[in-house]
Amino acid sequence: MITAVPVMDNRLSNHFTKAHHFIFVKDTGELVSSAPNPALDSGCSGKSRLLEMLKSNHAKRVLVKNIGSRMLSRLFECEIKVIMAEKGQSADLLSLLRGENVTTLVDLSRARISKKYEDKKAAGQLCCHSGKNHSGKNHSGHSCCHSDNHSQSDNKKKCCCRK
């Protein structure tokens, strides 16, 4: 199984979408590939590209320290397993890949709520992925991956996870 690991300064990044790059490793720790993080400073379009990168590199799970509730939800929709390193543990990568000192996330209870998202929601500036604005444009005026007639009822998975 290939695991995507968000990395910053040669260690597991504190936040999934803020990592400088991702490494893709087998359960044995063997490096398969690495790539820069397309979500870094890119808004929702970069986060969609991050999901596509995970899928194109055949990642079946991700290892995280911290993750936001919206990204965690999108990973669940894409059927990517999420394992979280336990707080205060400084285990090496191989032991984390073996399941030592990690928790498999099955719901959003361990995810962080995004204050930035909540502020945008209150100001009516949500991105199209929020399910609130399907105008085809996001808050920055960039094109959304949704078409004008797309609705979430068309498919249980959002467009970023369709195969």
Side-chain angles (χ1 to χ4, degrees), residues 73-136:
S73 178
R74 291 173 76 184
L75 289 169
F76 288 159
E77 289 169 356
C78 292
E79 299 177 0
I80 296 174
K81 294 178 184 176
V82 181
I83 56 174
M84 179 178 271
E86 294 297 330
K87 305 281 188 242
Q89 298 297 323
S90 59
D92 65 298
L93 180 59
L94 276 178
S95 65
L96 294 172
L97 292 173
R98 285 192 302 262
E100 298 171 20
N101 300 312
V102 298
T103 300
T104 300
L105 301 184
V106 295
D107 59 34
L108 302 179
S109 64
R110 301 272 307 263
R112 295 182 174 201
I113 302 297
S114 169
K115 175 152 176 33
K116 184 186 273 187
Y117 173 77
E118 293 302 320
D119 290 345
K120 286 180 182 181
K121 183 177 177 182
Q125 299 175 331
L126 288 178
C127 169
C128 60
H129 290 286
S130 67
K132 303 291 184 192
N133 176 5
H134 284 301
S135 65

Side-chain angles (χ1 to χ4, degrees), residues 17-34:
T17 60
K18 304 293 184 197
H20 291 157
H21 65 279
F22 282 79
I23 59 171
F24 297 88
V25 294
K26 294 182 180 180
D27 290 339
T28 61
E30 177 187 344
L31 180 66
V32 176
S33 65
S34 67

